[in-house]
Amino acid sequence: MRGLNGLGENCGDSTGGVRVTNGEKKAILMKYQDIESRINRLLDEKKRWEEKATSVSPVYSDMPKGGTSDKVQTAVCRIIELEQDIDREVDAQIDLRGKIEAAVSGMQDEKLRDVIRYRYIDGMKWEEVAEAMYYSRMQICRFHGRALREIML
């Protein structure tokens, strides 16, 4: 059975392999882009907190006001937490990338390696993969199915 939208995102979604189904292999491979998305969200949030911490409010009085340093301190603490989260996510992504690259390197066919890298490492859409490789989308889906059967994750 095909995915909800024909070949759509479920391109090559048959089961296979000795221990891991193709669906499970896809889930492992898709974790790389999931981590990439989390890293980008964390970087965006860090940037917003940095802007808050460095924004200057005009002072219209020479009388001291309380609470300003608390806001900066809160922002700095949040930035530190975000940097630690980013470091953890980057470490996880590096580990996963190493595992994926080792599995891809074990594949015999260069076209199948390219499909996996374009799709799961570079995060390309099926149409973009097809264009980059000069094949039809349908042929890329066939390659993808073969690649999932062959890759050992």
PDB file of all heavy atoms in Angstrom, residues 3-15:
ATOM      1  N   GLY A   3       1.595   5.473   0.413  1.00  0.00           N
ATOM      2  CA  GLY A   3       1.271   6.471   1.428  1.00  0.00           C
ATOM      3  C   GLY A   3      -0.027   7.182   1.104  1.00  0.00           C
ATOM      4  O   GLY A   3      -0.648   6.967   0.067  1.00  0.00           O
ATOM      5  N   LEU A   4      -0.438   8.052   1.986  1.00  0.00           N
ATOM      6  CA  LEU A   4      -1.693   8.774   1.838  1.00  0.00           C
ATOM      7  C   LEU A   4      -1.739   9.597   0.562  1.00  0.00           C
ATOM      8  O   LEU A   4      -2.782   9.784  -0.016  1.00  0.00           O
ATOM      9  CB  LEU A   4      -1.907   9.702   3.044  1.00  0.00           C
ATOM     10  CG  LEU A   4      -2.077   8.993   4.382  1.00  0.00           C
ATOM     11  CD1 LEU A   4      -2.146  10.014   5.505  1.00  0.00           C
ATOM     12  CD2 LEU A   4      -3.319   8.128   4.370  1.00  0.00           C
ATOM     13  N   ASN A   5      -0.597  10.077   0.111  1.00  0.00           N
ATOM     14  CA  ASN A   5      -0.562  10.929  -1.069  1.00  0.00           C
ATOM     15  C   ASN A   5       0.204  10.250  -2.215  1.00  0.00           C
ATOM     16  O   ASN A   5       1.074  10.828  -2.816  1.00  0.00           O
ATOM     17  CB  ASN A   5       0.041  12.295  -0.740  1.00  0.00           C
ATOM     18  CG  ASN A   5       1.410  12.180  -0.101  1.00  0.00           C
ATOM     19  OD1 ASN A   5       1.860  11.086   0.195  1.00  0.00           O
ATOM     20  ND2 ASN A   5       2.063  13.305   0.099  1.00  0.00           N
ATOM     21  N   GLY A   6      -0.137   9.010  -2.520  1.00  0.00           N
ATOM     22  CA  GLY A   6       0.547   8.294  -3.592  1.00  0.00           C
ATOM     23  C   GLY A   6       1.934   7.911  -3.145  1.00  0.00           C
ATOM     24  O   GLY A   6       2.098   7.182  -2.190  1.00  0.00           O
ATOM     25  N   LEU A   7       2.959   8.439  -3.825  1.00  0.00           N
ATOM     26  CA  LEU A   7       4.332   8.137  -3.437  1.00  0.00           C
ATOM     27  C   LEU A   7       4.812   9.068  -2.343  1.00  0.00           C
ATOM     28  O   LEU A   7       5.640   8.693  -1.541  1.00  0.00           O
ATOM     29  CB  LEU A   7       5.254   8.222  -4.648  1.00  0.00           C
ATOM     30  CG  LEU A   7       5.038   7.138  -5.674  1.00  0.00           C
ATOM     31  CD1 LEU A   7       5.868   7.430  -6.910  1.00  0.00           C
ATOM     32  CD2 LEU A   7       5.386   5.782  -5.127  1.00  0.00           C
ATOM     33  N   GLY A   8       4.331  10.278  -2.328  1.00  0.00           N
ATOM     34  CA  GLY A   8       4.617  11.291  -1.317  1.00  0.00           C
ATOM     35  C   GLY A   8       5.791  11.020  -0.410  1.00  0.00           C
ATOM     36  O   GLY A   8       6.826  10.545  -0.825  1.00  0.00           O
ATOM     37  N   GLU A   9       5.636  11.312   0.849  1.00  0.00           N
ATOM     38  CA  GLU A   9       6.700  11.161   1.810  1.00  0.00           C
ATOM     39  C   GLU A   9       6.984   9.695   2.118  1.00  0.00           C
ATOM     40  O   GLU A   9       7.977   9.372   2.725  1.00  0.00           O
ATOM     41  CB  GLU A   9       6.356  11.919   3.106  1.00  0.00           C
ATOM     42  CG  GLU A   9       6.325  13.411   2.927  1.00  0.00           C
ATOM     43  CD  GLU A   9       7.658  13.971   2.451  1.00  0.00           C
ATOM     44  OE1 GLU A   9       8.686  13.649   3.042  1.00  0.00           O
ATOM     45  OE2 GLU A   9       7.653  14.717   1.449  1.00  0.00           O
ATOM     46  N   ASN A  10       6.106   8.800   1.726  1.00  0.00           N
ATOM     47  CA  ASN A  10       6.291   7.389   2.018  1.00  0.00           C
ATOM     48  C   ASN A  10       6.963   6.655   0.883  1.00  0.00           C
ATOM     49  O   ASN A  10       6.824   5.459   0.739  1.00  0.00           O
ATOM     50  CB  ASN A  10       4.931   6.746   2.329  1.00  0.00           C
ATOM     51  CG  ASN A  10       4.338   7.343   3.574  1.00  0.00           C
ATOM     52  OD1 ASN A  10       5.030   7.549   4.549  1.00  0.00           O
ATOM     53  ND2 ASN A  10       3.058   7.645   3.531  1.00  0.00           N
ATOM     54  N   CYS A  11       7.682   7.359   0.077  1.00  0.00           N
ATOM     55  CA  CYS A  11       8.372   6.800  -1.073  1.00  0.00           C
ATOM     56  C   CYS A  11       9.274   5.650  -0.618  1.00  0.00           C
ATOM     57  O   CYS A  11      10.136   5.821   0.214  1.00  0.00           O
ATOM     58  CB  CYS A  11       9.193   7.903  -1.724  1.00  0.00           C
ATOM     59  SG  CYS A  11       9.991   7.440  -3.234  1.00  0.00           S
ATOM     60  N   GLY A  12       9.053   4.448  -1.157  1.00  0.00           N
ATOM     61  CA  GLY A  12       9.886   3.300  -0.824  1.00  0.00           C
ATOM     62  C   GLY A  12       9.635   2.742   0.550  1.00  0.00           C
ATOM     63  O   GLY A  12      10.529   2.205   1.182  1.00  0.00           O
ATOM     64  N   ASP A  13       8.431   2.820   1.061  1.00  0.00           N
ATOM     65  CA  ASP A  13       8.135   2.423   2.432  1.00  0.00           C
ATOM     66  C   ASP A  13       7.705   0.962   2.529  1.00  0.00           C
ATOM     67  O   ASP A  13       6.660   0.644   3.074  1.00  0.00           O
ATOM     68  CB  ASP A  13       7.037   3.339   3.002  1.00  0.00           C
ATOM     69  CG  ASP A  13       6.885   3.180   4.501  1.00  0.00           C
ATOM     70  OD1 ASP A  13       7.831   2.720   5.147  1.00  0.00           O
ATOM     71  OD2 ASP A  13       5.813   3.530   5.008  1.00  0.00           O
ATOM     72  N   SER A  14       8.491   0.054   1.993  1.00  0.00           N
ATOM     73  CA  SER A  14       8.200  -1.363   2.181  1.00  0.00           C
ATOM     74  C   SER A  14       9.097  -1.875   3.294  1.00  0.00           C
ATOM     75  O   SER A  14      10.075  -1.249   3.656  1.00  0.00           O
ATOM     76  CB  SER A  14       8.472  -2.133   0.882  1.00  0.00           C
ATOM     77  OG  SER A  14       9.836  -1.993   0.543  1.00  0.00           O
ATOM     78  N   THR A  15       8.750  -3.001   3.848  1.00  0.00           N
ATOM     79  CA  THR A  15       9.575  -3.530   4.926  1.00  0.00           C
ATOM     80  C   THR A  15      10.618  -4.456   4.364  1.00  0.00           C
ATOM     81  O   THR A  15      10.480  -5.012   3.291  1.00  0.00           O
ATOM     82  CB  THR A  15       8.710  -4.284   5.961  1.00  0.00           C
ATOM     83  OG1 THR A  15       8.049  -5.341   5.287  1.00  0.00           O
ATOM     84  CG2 THR A  15       7.728  -3.362   6.628  1.00  0.00           C
TER      85      THR A  15
END
